[in-house]
C-alpha cells in the first residue's frame, strides 16, 4: 500500500510539472487545426440536435447551403468555384475532410462546454504522468520501491513534453501509443487488471484520436511480429491488434455517419500525392502524363500547383487542394492511389531517395517554435469565438513571447546525452540488464523511427512531428538510471508477456 501511495504522489507531482508550460503561457497552446477538431464535432451536434454553440457559424452556413436548391450550371466568371448540381445527394453540402478525429474533437468540445480548455490539458497531464511512471517502473524494475523513480520527474523540466501536454492537439498520444505498445507486448501477463485496462484504453484512444497513430501502431505490430518469429520471444500482441480494430472501426463509423448526413463519404486530403509533387517525381510525371492526354483532375491545375506541399494541401488559391471546387477535390482524392502507384513505377529510385531524405530530416527536427509561437502556426484568430479569442490573445504564445528558446536550447544536448547514456548502460550492463528492459528500449526506438518514417515520407517534415516523441529517450534513460543499482541475473526471462 505504501508503494502505491508513493507512486500516486509521484504521478501527481509529475502532472503538476507537466502543467508548468501552460502556466507560463498563461493558458493552453492552440494550433490552427484545433478549431477544425472542435467545429467537426459541433457540426455533428448541430445537424443531429439543432443545438448550436459559439462555434456553430460554419455548421449553420453549411446546413443552410445544403437545404438551398443549387443552380444547374457553374458560374461563368473567372472564378474556379463550381456549384454542385441540385440532383446530388447532399445539395451544396461542402466536402467533409477525414483526418481530424471527431473523437479527440469530442474531448475538446466537452471541455469547452465545461467552460475551459484547461480540462483537456489537465487530463493530458494526468494520463501522460501515469503512463510515464508506470513505464519507468517496469523499465527500472522498481515495482516495490517507486520512490527510486524520482529522476523521471526531471524529464518534465528538460524536455518539451510539457508543451505537448499543453497543446490542444492529439500529438501527445503519439508517444503514449508507443509506450503502450511496448508495455502490452512485454508485460501484459505480469500486469494487474487495472494496469491492463489503463494501457488498453490509452492505446485505443490513441488509435481513435489520429490516423497517423493508427499507422504507426500498425507498423510497430509488424515489427513485433517479425521479432517474435525471428527470436521466438514471448510477446502479447492481441490487445494491440484489438486497439487497431477500435481505431479502424472508429474511422469507419465516422465515414458512415458523414455519408448518411451528406450523401458523400469524407475525403482524405492527398498527403502522399502532395509529397510526391513537392519532391519532384510527382510533378515530372504529371507534366508528361497531362501532355499525353491523361484524364487526371490534377492536369487542370498543373500550371498552378504550389511547390510547397503544405500550400498545395491547405492554401485557398487556384491549384491548391482546398481552393478546388468540391467535386474536383473528391476526384483528386479518389485518384490519389493510382497517381502514387504510377509515380512510383515511373521513378522508383527518385521516390525512394526523396523519402529517405525526408525521413532523415524529420528524425532530427526537435524544435518547438511551430507550436510555442502562435504567429508561426498561422492561427486565424478571427475564426475563434469572442470568448476563446480573448483568452487566446492573453497568452504569451499569441504574442510570440513564450520562452521556446529554453526548450530549443536543451533539445539536442538532452536527447543526445540520453541516447549516449542508454548505449553506455546497455554496454556496461550487457550481462545483467534484463532482456525485457533491452526489448523495451528497442521497441520505443523502433516507434520513434517509425514516427519519423510516417511523418517524413507521407507529409512534410515539421518540428512538431518529432519533438512530440523524442522525449521518450530521456524518459528511458532516466528509468534505466533509476534501476541501475538493481542486478538481475542474465538468465531472466526475455519478457513477461505471453505469446498471443
Amino acid at each position: 500500500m505504501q508503494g502505491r501511495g508513493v507512486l500516486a504522489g509521484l504521478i501527481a507531482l509529475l502532472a503538476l510539472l507537466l502543467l508548468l508550460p501552460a502556466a507560463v503561457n498563461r493558458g493552453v497552446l492552440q494550433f490552427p487545426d484545433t478549431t477544425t477538431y472542435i467545429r467537426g464535432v459541433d457540426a455533428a451536434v448541430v445537424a443531429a440536435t439543432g443545438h448550436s454553440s459559439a462555434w456553430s457559424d460554419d455548421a449553420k452556413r453549411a446546413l443552410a447551403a445544403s437545404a438551398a436548391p443549387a443552380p444547374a450550371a457553374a458560374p461563368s466568371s473567372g472564378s474556379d468555384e463550381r456549384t454542385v448540381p441540385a440532383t446530388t445527394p447532399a445539395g451544396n453540402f461542402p466536402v467533409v475532410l477525414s483526418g481530424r478525429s471527431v473523437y479527440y474533437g469530442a474531448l475538446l468540445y466537452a471541455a469547452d462546454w465545461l467552460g475551459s480548455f484547461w480540462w483537456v490539458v489537465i487530463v493530458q497531464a494526468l494520463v501522460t504522468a501515469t503512463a510515464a511512471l508506470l513505464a519507468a517502473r517496469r523499465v527500472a524494475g522498481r515495482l516495490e520501491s517507486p520512490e527510486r523513480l524520482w529522476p523521471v520527474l526531471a524529464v518534465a523540466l528538460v524536455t518539451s513534453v510539457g508543451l505537448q501536454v499543453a497543446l490542444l492537439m492529439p500529438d501527445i498520444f503519439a508517444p503514449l501509443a508507443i509506450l503502450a505498445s511496448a508495455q502490452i507486448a512485454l508485460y501484459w501477463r505480469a500486469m494487474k487488471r487495472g494496469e491492463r485496462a489503463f494501457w488498453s484504453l490509452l492505446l485505443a484512444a490513441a488509435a481513435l484520436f489520429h490516423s497517423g497513430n493508427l499507422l504507426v501502431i500498425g507498423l510497430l505490430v509488424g515489427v513485433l511480429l517479425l521479432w517474435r518469429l525471428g527470436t521466438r520471444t514471448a510477446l502479447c500482441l492481441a490487445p494491440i491488434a484489438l486497439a487497431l480494430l477500435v481505431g479502424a472501426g472508429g474511422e469507419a463509423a465516422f465515414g458512415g455517419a458523414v455519408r448518411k448526413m451528406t450523401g458523400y463519404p469524407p475525403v482524405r486530403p492527398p498527403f502522399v500525392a502532395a509529397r510526391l509533387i513537392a519532391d519532384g517525381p510527382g510533378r515530372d510525371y504529371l507534366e508528361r502524363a497531362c501532355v499525353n492526354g491523361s484524364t487526371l483532375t490534377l492536369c487542370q491545375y498543373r500550371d498552378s500547383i504550389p511547390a510547397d506541399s503544405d500550400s498545395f494541401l491547405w492554401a485557398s488559391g487556384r491549384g491548391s487542394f482546398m481552393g478546388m471546387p468540391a467535386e474536383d477535390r473528391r476526384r483528386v482524392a479518389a485518384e490519389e492511389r493510382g497517381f502514387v502507384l504510377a509515380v512510383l513505377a515511373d521513378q522508383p529510385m527518385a521516390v525512394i531517395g526523396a523519402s529517405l531524405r525526408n525521413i532523415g530530416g524529420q528524425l532530427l527536427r526537435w524544435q518547438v517554435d511551430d507550436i510555442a509561437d502562435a504567429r508561426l502556426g498561422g492561427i486565424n484568430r478571427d475564426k475563434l469565438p469572442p470568448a476563446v479569442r480573448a483568452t487566446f490573445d492573453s497568452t504569451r504564445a499569441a504574442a510570440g513571447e513564450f520562452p521556446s528558446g529554453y526548450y530549443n536550447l536543451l533539445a539536442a544536448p538532452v536527447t543526445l546525452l540520453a541516447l549516449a547514456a542508454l548505449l553506455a548502460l546497455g554496454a556496461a550492463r550487457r550481462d545483467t540488464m534484463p532482456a525485457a528492459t533491452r526489448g523495451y528500449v528497442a521497441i520505443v526506438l523502433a516507434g520513434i523511427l517509425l514516427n519519423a518514417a510516417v511523418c517524413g515520407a507521407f507529409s512534410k517534415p515539421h518540428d512538431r512531428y518529432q519533438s512530440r516523441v523524442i522525449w521518450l529517450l530521456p524518459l528511458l534513460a532516466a528509468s534505466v538510471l533509476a534501476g541501475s543499482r538493481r542486478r538481475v541475473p542474465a538468465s531472466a526471462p526475455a519478457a513477461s508477456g505471453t505469446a498471443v
Side-chain angles (χ1 to χ4, degrees):
M1 189 68 180
Q2 182 178 1
R4 288 186 180 181
V6 171
L7 182 62
L10 286 173
I11 289 173
L13 182 55
L14 180 55
L16 288 174
L17 292 175
L18 291 173
L19 290 172
L20 280 177
V24 171
N25 187 50
R26 299 195 294 258
V28 301
L29 291 169
Q30 294 193 44
F31 200 70
D33 291 348
T34 299
T35 58
T36 308
Y37 283 95
I38 301 172
R39 291 185 194 279
V41 176
D42 183 74
V45 172
V46 172
T49 69
H51 173 76
S52 62
S53 72
W55 298 92
S56 301
D57 289 346
D58 287 351
K60 289 178 179 177
R61 281 194 295 268
L63 289 171
S66 176
S76 57
S77 67
S79 170
D80 271 334
E81 295 299 322
R82 302 178 190 173
T83 307
V84 181
T87 55
T88 57
N92 295 321
F93 206 98
V95 171
V96 177
L97 299 179
S98 62
R100 300 291 180 265
S101 168
V102 293
Y103 306 102
Y104 186 76
L107 178 63
L108 298 178
Y109 190 81
D112 183 62
W113 182 79
L114 290 172
S116 175
F117 287 124
W118 272 96
W119 291 112
V120 177
V121 178
I122 291 171
V123 168
Q124 292 183 164
L126 287 171
V127 171
T128 302
T130 303
L133 282 162
L134 288 180
R137 188 178 65 152
R138 291 288 178 184
V139 172
R142 296 292 183 182
L143 299 180
E144 306 301 329
S145 52
E147 67 277 1
R148 297 293 187 92
L149 297 177
W150 61 265
V152 174
L153 301 179
V155 174
L157 302 176
V158 299
T159 74
S160 65
V161 58
L163 270 73
Q164 317 300 330
V165 165
L167 182 64
L168 298 184
M169 291 284 287
D171 290 33
I172 189 61
F173 290 91
L176 298 185
I178 296 172
L179 287 181
S181 298
Q183 198 85 3
I184 291 171
L186 291 168
Y187 297 111
W188 181 261
R189 187 177 180 182
M191 290 191 291
K192 294 182 179 179
R193 184 177 300 174
E195 194 174 355
R196 287 183 180 182
F198 171 80
W199 289 110
S200 298
L201 290 173
L202 176 56
L203 191 59
L208 284 170
F209 285 173
H210 201 282
S211 56
N213 294 341
L214 194 63
L215 184 54
V216 170
I217 296 168
L219 292 172
L220 197 52
V221 167
V223 171
L224 293 173
L225 276 172
L226 292 175
W227 181 17
R228 191 172 79 174
L229 293 174
T231 64
R232 299 188 181 278
T233 302
L235 298 173
C236 183
L237 303 182
I240 306 177
L242 180 60
L244 287 173
L245 290 176
V246 169
E251 286 205 359
F254 170 71
V258 170
R259 182 186 286 274
K260 183 176 180 179
M261 179 186 298
T262 71
Y264 295 103
V267 171
R268 186 173 298 278
F271 291 104
V272 182
R275 186 71 259 142
L276 290 175
I277 293 172
D279 288 338
R283 189 178 293 274
D284 292 343
Y285 172 82
L286 196 61
E287 290 292 340
R288 287 183 277 108
C290 294
V291 169
N292 291 328
S294 172
T295 59
L296 285 170
T297 305
L298 284 175
C299 287
Q300 303 173 32
Y301 302 95
R302 72 179 189 276
D303 294 331
S304 54
I305 294 176
D308 179 72
S309 60
D310 281 350
S311 296
F312 169 65
L313 289 170
W314 310 120
S316 57
R318 176 176 171 79
S320 297
F321 179 71
M322 294 300 292
M324 297 176 186
E327 285 306 302
D328 281 359
R329 269 185 277 169
R330 292 188 177 99
R331 283 194 289 264
V332 167
E335 294 166 359
E336 183 188 29
R337 179 181 299 178
F339 173 75
V340 169
L341 292 176
V343 174
L344 185 59
D346 182 55
Q347 298 186 49
M349 298 311 297
V351 171
I352 293 172
S355 295
L356 290 177
R357 287 193 298 272
N358 291 332
I359 292 170
Q362 181 63 77
L363 191 61
L364 299 177
R365 300 193 65 157
W366 309 329
Q367 305 293 287
V368 298
D369 289 329
D370 54 352
I371 61 174
D373 189 339
R375 299 173 307 172
L376 298 178
I379 293 176
N380 187 352
R381 56 182 300 281
D382 294 333
K383 295 192 69 174
L384 299 174
V388 178
R389 185 190 311 137
T391 302
F392 168 75
D393 288 343
S394 68
T395 63
R396 293 180 185 271
E401 296 174 355
F402 186 87
S404 57
Y406 169 79
Y407 298 98
N408 291 336
L409 182 65
L410 289 178
V414 169
T415 300
L416 295 176
L417 182 62
L419 183 59
L422 287 172
L423 294 174
L425 288 169
R429 298 179 57 199
R430 183 173 58 249
D431 297 329
T432 58
M433 180 180 288
T437 299
R438 296 196 300 271
Y440 203 113
V441 173
I443 293 173
V444 171
L445 286 175
I448 292 173
L449 290 172
L450 289 172
N451 179 80
V454 168
C455 297
F458 298 151
S459 184
K460 179 181 177 180
H462 285 287
D463 288 307
R464 179 171 65 92
Y465 295 154
Q466 205 64 13
S467 64
R468 67 189 180 191
V469 299
I470 204 64
W471 63 270
L472 293 176
L473 288 179
L475 173 66
L476 287 180
S479 304
V480 174
L481 284 171
S484 60
R485 294 184 180 181
R486 182 175 179 268
R487 290 291 183 261
V488 177
S491 59
S496 299
T498 178
V500 177

